[in-house]
Structure formats: C-alpha cells, structure tokens
Amino acid sequence: MIALEELYPRWDWQYTTTQVDGQSEYDLFGMAINEDSEGTPIEKAMFMWYPDGENLPRDEGVAEYAKKTDMHYDQRPYTRYWNGSVLFLKVLLMFFTACDVRMINFMVELSILLVIIWLMTKKGLDRFLVPFIATMIFVNPFTMAISVKYSAEYIPMLLAIIVILLFGDRIDKIIGGWNIFFAIVGAITAFLSMMSFPGITLGIPLLMLIWVHDEKNVIKTVVVNSIYWVGAYAVAWSMKWLIGTIVTDYNFLEDAISQIFGYHSEGSVSILVERIMRNLWPIYNPVYVLFFLCVVLITVVVSVKQSKSRSTSDEFSFDAIIGYGLLILMPLAIIIGMGNGYAYVHFYMAHRHFAIAVGASLCVVSYVVRTIISKTTVRH
C-alpha cells in the first residue's frame, strides 16, 4: 500500500479536501507494528515510539520495517499526543491488512451515518436532514475512510451524535447531563486524535443537540457545552504531559509547551487573514460553491414546504440566530487558536472545521424562512 502511494495521497488530485496526512498516518502504523522499543508498557504508552529508518522518508522507513529487513532503525518518540487510536490499530493489524483497515473504516462509518439519518427521520428531525447531509459532505466521508488519523476524530463525532439521538431524553433528566456529556466527548477526542480537526466532535454534535431541543436555549447550549468540551480536551491532553514527566526521566511538559509557543510564534499576526483564507481555499472552488448554493436553494424550498405543513408556527428568536452565529464563527476561533504553525501549515486538515459553519449557516437560512412563512400564514 505504501509503495503505491505518495506521502500525501489524494483520491482526487485536484481537490485538497481529498488529501490524507500520509506522514502522520505512517507514524501511527509505525507505532502499531513496532516491536523493538524498550521500557515498561506505561513508558511505551508515554513515548509512543515508532521505527525510523536512517536517511529514509517516513513512509519508506515504515514500509522497510514492515518487511523486517536487517537494517538499523532508530526509535523515535511521538510524545505530544496520546495517540489512543493505536490501541485499535494494533488489534486490527493482528488480523487484517492496512487496506482492510480502510475498508472497515468505510463500512463502519457509512453504516453509522445511515443510522443517524434513519434516527433523525424517526424522531421527526427530517427538516434538518439537508443541513446535516451538507455538513457531512464538507467533512468528506470518503477521505475519512482512507485515514486512520482522520477516523480517530470522525468516528467519535458520529458516535456522539448517535448518543444524542438515542439517549438524549435520559441525559436531559440528569442535572448538568449535557455538560458532562460534552466533557467526556472532549476528553475522548484528546485521547484518540492527533489534532487533525478535533473541533468537529464539538460543533457538529452541538448542531444535533440544538435540533433535538427544537432550537431552544441555543446560545446557552453552545457556550456552556463548548466550555466543558474545551476544558476536558485541554485537561485530558495535558495529563499526557504530566503523567509522562512523572513516570519517565523526560520532561514532557517542557517539550509540549515549547511546541505550543512555537506554533504561535511562527509568522506574525499580520498573516492571520492569510491563515483564514488558506483554510477557506480548499472549499473555495466552483464545485463546492455551486453545491453550497444548490443546498441553500433546497433548504429554502424544504423550509417553505415544511412550514406550511406544520400545525404550529415558528416564532422568530434572536437566541437561535445568535447561537447559530456562534457556531458559524467557531471555525475561525479554532483556526486562530491553533496558531500559524498548525492552522497555516496543516490547512489541508484544519479547513474541515468550516463544515460546522456550513451546517449552522444553512440552519440560519432555514430558521429565517420558517419564521417568515409562519408569520405570513398567521396573517392570512
């Protein structure tokens, strides 16, 4: 598989949205198949060693190590992330090939996505199907399937939505239930991901929760649950550095902090606009723009039709508009917070956060149309 691919493969070479982070992907495969690292299990879990062939690119180094050649391999640590997805990858690679893992990703992710659509229809949320499907298309499910790294954030997002749809009524009855839920999702995201586009496990489940609650208390839902998600994400991530520093002789905290400052010091503040535009660029092309315009038109038509068929009228509320507006701005906040070193260089991953803005903006269109039609219907 590695021999047939380039380091940053795309399944459609014209579109950055189809690109996989091959170097990080092969890091994960290297960690999963590495049998030569030394130390206790907890030390191995902290350092996350991968075999690094001397003078070889990352993909070729992992490929050569997989062949079990006699050449020398250095052990390189990947200390900053938990890389929890390696737990699953290790088990899968005991029974399947790397290509099998991709196909399993595709089958599992598509199945969960179809279940979500079925549950939305069953629970009377069909009026939100257009924004949801459009959001998923901008995330790009096919690219998710061919990447273990991307799936480590995409699958938790899908499962979080499943929990909202299946157990939302029970969580509603728990005091602070949703705060706890989003804290758990944030912590799981930090454990599994290698920081591709972690914000989708917050923004897209928030959209679903807003729909389940019939667009009530939107601002509070977005702000409070975001605080819990960010807090748990930060704590879970930093626990790796703290535990690693305590149980080993290596200063994980110093390494992580220096990397954070490095990401934010690369380039000046003046390139902030360029950073944002660089992340918009992958979806700023005729096909995506035309698709978005078509989806806006479909949203208007569907909203008009469903507003006329509903027995209750929709009242205009600034709470919903402002709440959705916060979700539209969320990708910008994430890209600014990530710093130049990450969001500028890794725009081919980070741009997927704008899928949240796509879904939220379509909801604004739908909400405005529905309230206008409701008022017109009441007058007549």
Side-chain angles (χ1 to χ4, degrees):
M1 182 188 78
I2 292 176
L4 292 171
E5 295 179 347
E6 296 189 8
L7 191 55
Y8 295 96
R10 302 179 184 182
W11 57 265
D12 186 336
W13 285 99
Q14 186 177 343
Y15 288 88
T16 308
T17 54
T18 69
Q19 180 173 314
V20 174
D21 181 9
Q23 179 156 315
S24 298
E25 190 83 355
Y26 300 134
D27 284 341
L28 292 172
F29 278 102
M31 295 172 201
I33 67 173
N34 189 8
E35 296 177 342
D36 297 316
S37 59
E38 297 180 353
T40 65
I42 192 169
E43 288 173 338
K44 293 179 182 180
M46 291 298 104
F47 283 104
M48 298 301 293
W49 301 101
Y50 64 86
D52 188 25
E54 187 177 0
N55 299 322
L56 285 177
R58 191 69 46 79
D59 53 343
E60 293 179 24
V62 173
E64 288 300 315
Y65 182 80
K67 295 176 184 177
K68 292 296 181 183
T69 58
D70 295 329
M71 67 178 291
H72 170 73
Y73 287 89
D74 293 325
Q75 293 291 315
R76 302 286 185 186
Y78 213 124
T79 60
R80 293 192 306 277
Y81 305 102
W82 281 104
N83 291 321
S85 59
V86 173
L87 283 174
F88 301 94
L89 191 57
K90 272 182 173 292
V91 175
L92 287 170
L93 290 176
M94 291 172 66
F95 304 98
F96 303 102
T97 68
C99 292
D100 290 336
V101 171
R102 288 179 171 176
M103 188 57 66
I104 291 170
N105 268 346
F106 170 73
M107 292 178 178
V108 170
E109 291 165 6
L110 180 60
S111 298
I112 299 174
L113 191 58
L114 292 174
V115 169
I116 289 172
I117 292 173
W118 174 72
L119 286 173
M120 288 180 68
T121 305
K122 184 179 178 181
K123 291 182 174 293
L125 299 173
D126 46 300
R127 68 183 187 277
F128 298 113
L129 280 175
V130 174
F132 176 73
I133 292 172
T135 301
M136 290 299 98
I137 288 175
F138 273 85
V139 172
N140 202 313
F142 291 105
T143 308
M144 301 298 100
I146 62 174
S147 173
V148 172
K149 180 185 179 184
Y150 292 175
S151 294
E153 293 164 357
Y154 182 63
I155 292 178
M157 179 210 73
L158 294 176
L159 293 178
I161 292 172
I162 288 284
V163 172
I164 291 171
L165 290 170
L166 286 179
F167 305 106
D169 293 338
R170 296 183 187 180
I171 298 175
D172 278 331
K173 297 175 182 178
I174 302 172
I175 298 175
W178 289 113
N179 304 151
I180 297 170
F181 171 77
F182 276 95
I184 292 172
V185 173
I188 290 173
T189 302
F191 177 71
L192 293 174
S193 79
M194 199 190 276
M195 204 165 133
S196 305
F197 31 83
I200 66 168
T201 69
L202 169 63
I204 299 176
L206 275 176
L207 278 172
M208 186 61 66
L209 182 58
I210 291 167
W211 300 339
V212 167
H213 286 167
D214 201 24
E215 300 176 305
K216 300 292 192 300
N217 299 317
V218 181
I219 296 177
K220 181 180 179 181
T221 297
V222 172
V223 173
V224 177
N225 290 314
S226 294
I227 292 172
Y228 275 86
W229 186 97
V230 171
Y233 181 87
V235 169
W237 196 2
S238 59
M239 284 299 291
K240 168 70 183 290
W241 315 330
L242 181 60
I243 295 171
T245 302
I246 292 172
V247 302
T248 72
D249 295 329
Y250 184 76
N251 194 329
F252 284 68
L253 280 169
E254 183 181 352
D255 180 33
I257 291 172
S258 65
Q259 185 69 28
I260 291 171
F261 280 110
Y263 272 170
H264 286 271
S265 63
E266 293 179 18
S268 63
V269 179
S270 62
I271 72 166
L272 175 59
V273 174
E274 185 179 351
R275 189 196 316 169
I276 294 171
M277 294 307 298
R278 191 171 170 87
N279 279 270
L280 283 171
W281 176 75
I283 56 176
Y284 184 68
N285 60 64
V287 172
Y288 274 100
V289 172
L290 180 61
F291 172 75
F292 181 73
L293 293 175
C294 289
V295 172
V296 169
L297 180 60
I298 294 170
T299 300
V300 171
V301 173
V302 171
S303 299
V304 170
K305 182 179 179 181
Q306 292 187 338
S307 293
K308 289 182 177 180
S309 63
R310 291 185 71 183
S311 56
T312 58
S313 61
D314 293 292
E315 301 238 347
F316 183 81
S317 169
F318 281 107
D319 173 71
I321 298 298
I322 295 173
Y324 281 132
L326 292 174
L327 285 174
I328 292 172
L329 295 175
M330 183 179 285
L332 297 178
I334 293 172
I335 288 170
I336 293 170
M338 282 180 170
N340 291 326
Y342 182 83
Y344 183 84
V345 176
H346 299 95
F347 70 97
Y348 58 90
M349 296 184 291
H351 77 272
R352 282 187 173 78
H353 287 111
F354 281 104
I356 303 167
V358 168
S361 60
L362 290 173
C363 288
V364 170
V365 172
S366 175
Y367 193 84
V368 170
V369 170
R370 283 185 279 117
T371 52
I372 291 174
I373 295 298
S374 294
K375 285 185 178 181
T376 306
T377 304
V378 169
R379 286 176 185 173
H380 287 294

